């Protein structure tokens, strides 16, 4: 496990890890191994299955967010997300903890969506950021490069216009 944390992967390696994590999460959602058994169980009610999927998705999000926050590496976030998603399908204490955490994360997500729909937070935030950046063009790298070029041009023009006597006096 610790070797995984320290490894440096190529872009292809990261793509493989992402594919494996996605496949593990999708497998857990499509065929959950609820309560730690591999026996075929009768079909659950649609609502119960939907709640279970929400728990698993929330657990995966919790795993990804916590791993990225601790390690600052997306790869560990992907691996941890897959582990939490799988863990949420288990019947042991870790599975229960993953399901409870997943339920809380998904509830927070749904609350955020409701607040956004009610108060249009994203639209207002986007508008405020656009106004800020539109009013402060000097913050952009392009504007800074343009100012520098204009300043250099003015210095060059002033130097060309100066007489040789003025240049000698300035030195």
């Amino acid at each position: 496990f610790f070797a995984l944390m320290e490894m440096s992967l190529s872009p292809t390696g990261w793509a493989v890890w992402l594919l494996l994590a996605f496949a593990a999460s999708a497998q857990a959602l499509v065929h959950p191994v609820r309560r730690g058994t591999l026996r075929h169980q009768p079909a659950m009610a649609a609502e119960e299955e939907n709640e279970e999927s929400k728990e698993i998705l929330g657990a995966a999000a919790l795993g990804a967010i916590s791993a990225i926050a601790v390690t600052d590496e997306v790869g560990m976030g992907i691996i941890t997300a897959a582990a939490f998603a799988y863990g949420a399908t288990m019947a042991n204490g870790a599975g229960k903890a993953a399901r409870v955490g997943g339920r809380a994360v998904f509830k927070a997500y749904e609350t955020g969506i409701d607040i956004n729909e009610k108060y249009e937070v994203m639209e207002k935030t986007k508008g405020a950021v656009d106004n800020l950046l539109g009013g402060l063009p000097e913050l952009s790298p392009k504007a800074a490069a343009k100012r520098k070029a204009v300043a250099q041009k003015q210095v060059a023009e002033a130097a060309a216009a100066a007489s040789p006597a003025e240049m000698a006096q300035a030195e």
Side-chain angles (χ1 to χ4, degrees), residues 4-64:
L4 289 175
M5 290 175 51
E6 296 177 15
M7 69 183 182
S8 176
L9 293 176
S10 67
T12 305
W14 284 117
V16 169
W17 274 114
L18 180 62
L19 181 63
L20 290 173
F22 177 77
S25 298
Q27 182 67 21
L29 288 174
V30 174
H31 300 290
V33 185
R34 190 70 162 178
R35 309 292 179 249
T37 179
L38 295 176
R39 292 178 306 171
H40 176 70
Q41 296 179 355
M44 292 183 254
E47 186 174 312
E48 184 181 335
E49 196 169 299
N50 189 26
E51 285 300 313
E52 185 175 306
S53 294
K54 288 178 181 181
E55 290 174 354
I56 294 169
L57 285 172
L62 178 63

Side-chain angles (χ1 to χ4, degrees), residues 154-165:
Q154 289 172 344
V155 168
E157 288 173 354
S163 66

Side-chain angles (χ1 to χ4, degrees), residues 60-153:
L62 178 63
I65 291 167
S66 59
I68 292 171
V70 171
T71 65
D72 265 350
E73 291 190 20
V74 175
M76 284 307 298
I78 293 168
I79 294 167
T80 309
F84 272 52
Y86 177 74
T89 65
M90 304 306 285
N92 56 17
K96 183 176 182 181
R99 286 189 300 278
V100 169
R103 200 175 309 126
V105 168
F106 204 86
K107 180 67 175 167
Y109 168 76
E110 287 178 332
T111 303
I113 295 294
D114 292 343
I115 290 171
N116 185 45
E117 288 174 357
K118 185 174 181 180
Y119 298 107
E120 299 176 353
V121 175
M122 292 298 289
E123 290 81 13
K124 291 177 182 176
T125 304
K126 183 183 180 304
V129 169
D130 288 344
N131 286 339
L132 175 68
L133 295 179
L136 301 172
E138 64 274 1
L139 291 179
S140 74
K142 210 176 208 180
K146 186 176 181 180
R147 279 194 318 276
K148 185 176 179 182
V150 168
Q152 287 174 346
K153 183 178 178 184

Side-chain angles (χ1 to χ4, degrees), residues 162-171:
S163 66
E166 291 173 335
M167 293 294 286
Q169 193 179 27
E171 292 177 352

